[in-house]
Amino acid sequence: LVAGPLASAAERVTTRPGEATLPLIPDAGDVELSAAERAKVEAGEIVVKLVERTKEDRQARAIGYLKHNPVELWSVAGDGRLQTEMYPEIQEFEELERWDSGKRFRATADVSILLPDFHYTMTGCWNPSRTALCWAQLSGDFDRNEGSQSFLWNPARRETLAVFTFDLAMKGILSLVPESFILSLAGHNLPSAMHSVEAMVDKVRTRDPERALVVLAPASHGAVGQQ
């Protein structure tokens, strides 16, 4: 595994007073893998697992290596202009407000042919090193909708260990949807989201080389060592 201080699991990034409590951003020290799971990650696979923090608080988490550096990945992942192109399930996305460490936005998503479209307003924030971001629902069709994306540079591999989390709960009649279905959906969507961010970096490099040039080299952005 990689270890380092890029995004502390002991801290929450801050948002505006009165807004939703944001989830913790996992750092490399938070990533617990079995020997078999670790071997899969080291071989280039994306591992999806369920993290049970309490009986009522369960989170789907995906861990895997991406080929680009953390700053490029973060820059693309948090760019509101790219959301509908990057993620096919997002049908509409509108940024409502932005400040130094975060933003507020609304979106419409079609997450499954078995479920209706969902509408929601979210608050999102990022860490000071701009290598991770997280979000939580302020209002909308979910009872709970939050997650995070953390990008941790591994200089030995010259790749980024990405950790994506997803915590979703339905409300109303849709609360009857089995948790096993939600987790199965996450098991597909999280690796797909990782690949989408990776592919979008390639597209941005091709069509907007000036933007790619302003991204700092990964060696200058909190490179983490191996343990």
Side-chain angles (χ1 to χ4, degrees):
L1 290 179
V2 241
L6 285 188
S8 173
E11 295 180 302
R12 294 183 184 273
V13 292
T14 56
T15 187
R16 300 214 162 166
E19 292 204 326
T21 300
L22 289 162
L24 294 175
I25 296 175
D27 67 6
D30 241 2
V31 180
E32 297 181 2
L33 297 172
S34 67
E37 290 169 335
R38 184 179 308 192
K40 289 181 179 180
V41 170
E42 293 298 331
E45 295 184 40
I46 294 175
V47 169
V48 179
K49 60 186 302 179
L50 179 66
V51 177
E52 185 173 299
R53 295 172 289 191
T54 68
K55 290 293 184 183
E56 296 78 27
D57 187 2
R58 288 150 58 93
Q59 178 190 82
R61 183 176 293 186
I63 305 107
Y65 279 104
L66 302 180
K67 64 184 179 182
H68 300 301
N69 72 66
V71 184
E72 284 185 294
L73 292 164
W74 177 89
S75 172
V76 162
D79 191 333
R81 298 166 298 180
L82 302 175
Q83 297 300 302
T84 56
E85 179 181 1
M86 189 159 42
Y87 302 119
E89 65 273 17
I90 297 182
Q91 298 179 329
E92 297 177 356
F93 185 96
E94 181 184 4
E95 192 170 292
L96 303 173
E97 184 183 9
R98 174 178 284 263
W99 54 97
D100 288 344
S101 61
K103 63 184 176 182
R104 188 165 55 89
F105 59 92
R106 62 171 166 242
T108 300
D110 179 8
V111 297
S112 169
I113 59 172
L114 301 177
L115 297 172
D117 291 353
F118 292 99
H119 306 269
Y120 48 86
T121 299
M122 307 272 252
T123 186
C125 286
W126 41 85
N127 62 342
S129 65
R130 300 197 171 198
T131 54
L133 54 111
C134 62
W135 59 90
Q137 178 178 278
L138 295 171
S139 62
D141 294 337
F142 298 99
D143 185 53
R144 183 175 65 255
N145 179 6
E146 62 182 46
S148 66
Q149 298 175 349
S150 187
F151 304 105
L152 301 159
W153 179 245
N154 184 331
R157 289 180 67 112
R158 299 200 63 76
E159 291 183 321
T160 294
L161 182 69
V163 184
F164 281 27
T165 71
F166 181 66
D167 190 353
L168 182 68
M170 304 294 189
K171 68 181 180 181
I173 189 65
L174 290 177
S175 64
L176 300 176
V177 174
E179 185 184 43
S180 58
F181 174 78
I182 301 299
L183 295 175
S184 174
L185 188 65
H188 169 76
N189 285 353
L190 284 174
S192 176
M194 284 185 170
H195 291 309
S196 294
V197 172
E198 187 176 48
M200 185 56 66
V201 171
D202 288 325
K203 290 182 181 179
V204 169
R205 280 179 168 180
T206 299
R207 71 190 184 201
D208 192 358
E210 289 189 6
R211 169 173 169 162
L213 285 173
V214 302
V215 174
L216 299 178
S220 66
H221 266 261
V224 295
Q226 289 186 309
Q227 69 177 33

